[in-house]
Amino acid sequence: GIIGGSYGGWSSLRGMLEFPDFFKVGVAAVPPGSMHNMTLDYHFTAFQGRPLYSDGGEVRPTPTEVPRNWQITDGRQQADRLVGKLLIVMGELDENVLPGSTLQLMNAFIKQNKDFDLIYLPDTNHGESGSPYVVRRMWDFLVRHLQGVEPPTDFKIVVPEESLF
């Protein structure tokens, strides 16, 4: 299995799509479905370079165009490769990974008739994907699909109030 949040969620997603014979179960918490739908970020451009579109520029010439040098990292274009069990966590008010990016990824999976699970977090931002509820649900997903057993139904993660963000 593979699990991660934010860029780690993107990495989990990449693992599931690029190595479908190895990763059978994955949790992608608040993952960017495609990097070109995000604000330009040095974390990504350091590896992929600045976006390069068909007209040679860095600004998207059409609403749906994917930069030539970023196509291989676009999860939507590899949606047909999903084989294992995937849980996606998304926050309705995510300020880092715009919900539209995640919804476009889910739409690509639907178009490919691929099954996935979703935890939709109403009225939550990017950081709240690490709440005790979400952590328990991610653990339950891994236990259910990696160990083949049903996790305890009454388990609750208790976090001291002062440690909550």
Side-chain angles (χ1 to χ4, degrees):
I2 187 168
I3 185 170
S6 193
Y7 277 131
W10 181 79
S11 297
S12 295
L13 178 63
R14 301 304 316 149
M16 293 290 292
L17 298 178
E18 291 185 31
F19 305 99
D21 295 333
F22 186 78
F23 292 109
K24 305 296 183 195
V25 179
V27 177
V30 292
S34 57
M35 289 300 187
H36 69 281
N37 287 333
M38 307 262 304
T39 304
L40 274 181
D41 183 349
Y42 74 91
H43 292 99
F44 192 71
T45 58
F47 294 100
Q48 294 303 121
R50 295 186 63 82
L52 181 59
Y53 290 97
S54 61
D55 64 358
E58 294 182 8
V59 178
R60 190 180 311 178
T62 64
T64 58
E65 187 171 338
V66 177
R68 293 187 311 215
N69 56 329
W70 291 16
Q71 288 178 358
I72 196 164
T73 64
D74 187 353
R76 300 169 311 165
Q77 296 191 29
Q78 291 182 320
D80 63 322
R81 296 178 53 90
L82 182 65
V83 175
K85 303 284 187 183
L86 175 64
L87 172 62
I88 299 171
V89 180
M90 73 173 281
E92 177 181 47
L93 304 176
D94 194 326
E95 72 285 7
N96 287 359
V97 176
L98 301 177
S101 176
T102 306
L103 292 171
Q104 289 175 9
L105 173 67
M106 292 176 357
N107 191 39
F109 286 139
I110 290 167
K111 286 180 179 178
Q112 293 294 326
N113 198 33
K114 299 295 182 175
D115 293 338
F116 61 91
D117 290 288
L118 171 68
I119 297 176
Y120 179 87
L121 302 171
D123 197 30
T124 59
N125 64 25
H126 193 69
E128 292 178 52
S129 64
S131 71
Y133 172 78
V134 175
V135 170
R136 181 195 49 91
R137 292 287 308 275
M138 291 189 293
W139 289 352
D140 288 352
F141 189 82
L142 293 172
V143 166
R144 195 172 284 120
H145 296 293
L146 288 175
Q147 294 184 324
V149 297
E150 201 55 35
T153 56
D154 58 350
F155 185 77
K156 183 175 182 179
I157 298 173
V158 180
V159 179
E161 190 65 33
E162 64 273 4
S163 69
L164 292 176
F165 42 92

